[in-house]
């Protein structure tokens, strides 16, 4: 199949393709999505096939507004979901609620719930509006790879498998949406994202739980290996410069000087073979992490080393979550074991 790039100017082709049960990659403010008519099981199956995605991993459903959500859920709208929607939509927050049967079970990965979000990106909204139906869209990467933040990233993963990629420039946020399960009594943060835990708690005026031994909730997708470029990722999660230098020296030796470094600018002159600045505040790090993985991977390094001193405020929790899952090895505070 030939894969064609489209822009805002020729969205009609993409909308026609969606109507005919095809899949289309498009930009959102978080990352690029791979979309299909969410009410069409066969069309959504093409998403699973193109991504190599396990069938038990449900898709996020994109709608235009709160009334779009109300058409997809069973029972009354819980207060938590209403507050999140009113505060953050359109924007990078996804809510999980009990599903009615509008979205086929296979699209929901067999779950009794459905994950819904309202994107702010203009192209994403035009597609939903043009199709006149909700759009199911996971991130538009091959399963296990970093989420794409540019049209070209999608091309590298999915060329030849999808008819269209809509180019809307770089994604604003660079990491996927915050997912909050609102289906039971207490809200649970299933996946951290741009909107941080403390912000959620302050607008909801209540505690938001993290998935753990005491909560039944989980995002099925979070158990799979994730976000990894081809080169192994090594995360130096440390504060003190001398400890970081020591770790870098060790790695440089271990990987015969063929390392790529994704780090704050001050490490630029360290002797890594390839360097890319990661910025030094949480927003720029979030924005540059996945694109940095993909950029550095092109040089075929033996390892991609990331220097990021963990910080749980705002989107910091999401960065730590993604790095914890992407990295093969960690120096300093060890965050999370790869499942
Ligand atoms: O920012 C985003 O959310 C992007 C853009 C394209 O919208 N989408 C995205 O989708 O990141 P995806 O499929 O890569 O990640 C969706 C996550 C998976 O971990 C999946 O298991 C979880 O959401 N999920 C979907 N439906 C769920 C449900 N009913 N209950 C719990 N988790 C769910
Ligand atoms: Mg994904």
């Amino acid at each position: 199949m030939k894969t064609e790039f489209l822009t805002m100017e020729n969205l009609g082709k993409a909308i026609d393709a969606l109507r005919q049960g095809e899949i289309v990659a498009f930009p959102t403010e978080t990352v690029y999505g791979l979309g299909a008519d969410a009410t069409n099981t066969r069309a959504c199956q093409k998403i699973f096939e193109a991504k190599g995605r396990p069938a038990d991993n449900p898709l996020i459903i994109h709608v235009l507004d709160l009334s779009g959500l109300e058409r997809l859920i069973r029972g009354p709208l819980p207060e938590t979901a209403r507050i999140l929607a009113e505060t953050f939509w359109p924007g990078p927050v996804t809510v999980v609620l009990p599903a009615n049967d509008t979205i086929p079970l296979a699209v929901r990965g067999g779950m009794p719930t459905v994950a819904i979000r309202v994107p702010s990106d203009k192209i994403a909204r035009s597609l939903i509006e043009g199709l006149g139906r909700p759009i199911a869209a996971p991130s538009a990467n091959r399963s296990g790879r970093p989420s794409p933040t540019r049209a070209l990233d999608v091309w590298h993963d999915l060329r030849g498998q999808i008819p269209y990629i809509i180019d809307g420039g770089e994604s604003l946020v660079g990491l996927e949406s915050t997912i909050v399960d609102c289906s039971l009594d207490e809200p649970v943060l299933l996946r951290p994202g741009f909107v941080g835990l403390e912000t959620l708690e302050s607008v909801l005026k209540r505690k938001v739980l993290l998935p753990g031994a005491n909560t039944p909730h989980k995002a099925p997708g979070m158990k799979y290996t994730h976000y990894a470029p081809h080169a192994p990722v090594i995360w130096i999660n440390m504060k003190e410069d001398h400890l970081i230098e020591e770790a870098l020296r060790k790695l440089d030796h271990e990987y015969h000087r063929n390392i790529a470094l994704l780090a704050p600018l001050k490490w630029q002159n360290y002797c890594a073979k390839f360097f890319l600045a990661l910025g030094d505040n949480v927003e720029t790090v979030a924005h540059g992490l996945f694109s940095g993985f993909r950029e550095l991977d092109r040089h075929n390094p033996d390892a991609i080393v990331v220097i990021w001193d963990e910080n749980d405020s705002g989107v910091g929790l999401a960065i730590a979550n993604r790095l914890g899952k992407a990295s093969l090895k960690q120096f300093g505070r060890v965050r999370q074991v790869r499942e």
Side-chain angles (χ1 to χ4, degrees), residues 306-328:
V306 182
I307 302 176
W308 161 248
D309 178 26
E310 185 175 331
N311 159 358
D312 274 358
S313 74
V315 69
L317 188 64
I319 297 166
N321 168 274
R322 306 306 191 272
L323 264 172
K325 283 177 181 290
S327 55
L328 187 69

Side-chain angles (χ1 to χ4, degrees), residues 16 21 62 79 87 93 131 153 161 165 169 171 178 213 218 293 324:
D16 285 345
H62 299 66
E79 184 67 359
T87 313
V93 171
L131 179 65
D153 298 341
Q161 289 180 271
I165 300 171
S171 298
T178 303
K218 262 204 165 50
F293 281 171

Side-chain angles (χ1 to χ4, degrees), residues 137-161:
S139 50
N141 50 284
R142 282 283 305 167
S143 218
R145 303 257 303 136
S147 296
T149 58
R150 297 167 299 196
L152 215 51
D153 298 341
V154 180
W155 164 262
H156 283 133
D157 277 21
L158 299 175
R159 65 172 174 274
Q161 289 180 271

Side-chain angles (χ1 to χ4, degrees), residues 137-307:
S139 50
N141 50 284
R142 282 283 305 167
S143 218
R145 303 257 303 136
S147 296
T149 58
R150 297 167 299 196
L152 215 51
D153 298 341
V154 180
W155 164 262
H156 283 133
D157 277 21
L158 299 175
R159 65 172 174 274
Q161 289 180 271
I162 60 176
Y164 299 117
I165 300 171
I166 306 166
D167 190 345
E170 266 184 48
S171 298
L172 213 61
V173 173
L175 294 182
E176 310 83 352
S177 61
T178 303
I179 305 181
V180 185
D181 190 334
C182 301
S183 68
L184 295 174
D185 290 343
E186 300 197 86
V188 182
L189 177 60
L190 294 184
R191 180 176 71 184
F194 184 72
V195 175
L197 182 64
E198 60 294 8
T199 309
L200 294 172
E201 290 185 332
S202 87
V203 304
L204 291 175
K205 299 193 178 60
R206 63 186 294 181
K207 188 120 191 80
V208 174
L209 305 179
L210 293 171
N214 302 326
T215 56
H217 324 247
K218 262 204 165 50
M222 298 306 271
K223 69 174 179 278
Y224 294 108
T225 303
H226 257 78
Y227 314 121
H230 295 299
V233 173
I234 296 165
W235 177 14
I236 302 181
N237 185 3
M238 291 169 154
K239 200 179 188 62
E240 292 86 2
D241 284 1
H242 70 279
L243 294 176
I244 296 174
E245 269 175 47
E246 198 180 299
L248 281 173
R249 261 198 302 278
K250 233 187 243 166
L251 289 167
D252 217 29
H253 180 72
E254 187 180 338
Y255 290 98
H256 308 103
R257 319 216 54 186
N258 192 26
I259 65 172
L261 192 55
L262 188 58
L265 201 58
K266 72 174 189 186
W267 295 99
Q268 170 167 233
N269 294 323
Y270 190 82
C271 51
K273 202 157 169 190
F274 310 103
F275 176 86
L276 203 64
L278 189 55
D280 24 37
N281 67 63
V282 282
E283 282 81 16
T284 54
V285 173
H287 185 77
L289 186 68
F290 286 155
S291 59
F293 281 171
R294 285 177 176 271
E295 196 85 33
L296 289 173
D297 229 12
R298 291 219 300 266
H299 300 293
N300 282 319
D302 286 334
I304 295 176
V305 179
V306 182
I307 302 176

Side-chain angles (χ1 to χ4, degrees), residues 2-6 13-14 17 23-26 162-166:
K2 196 170 152 280
T3 302
E4 194 184 324
F5 283 97
L6 300 176
K13 278 186 169 183
I23 56 178
V24 169
F26 63 97
I162 60 176
Y164 299 117
I165 300 171
I166 306 166

Side-chain angles (χ1 to χ4, degrees), residues 83-137:
I83 296 171
L84 293 178
E86 281 172 0
T87 313
F88 299 109
W89 284 358
V93 171
T94 297
V95 298
V96 172
L97 290 167
N100 65 23
D101 51 17
T102 308
I103 304 298
L105 196 60
V107 178
R108 290 184 269 125
M111 304 280 285
T113 51
V114 57
I116 306 168
R117 89 175 189 93
V118 170
S120 63
D121 184 277
K122 225 170 134 206
I123 292 176
R125 298 185 64 81
S126 304
L127 286 184
I128 305 166
E129 203 168 7
L131 179 65
R133 302 217 185 99
I135 292 181

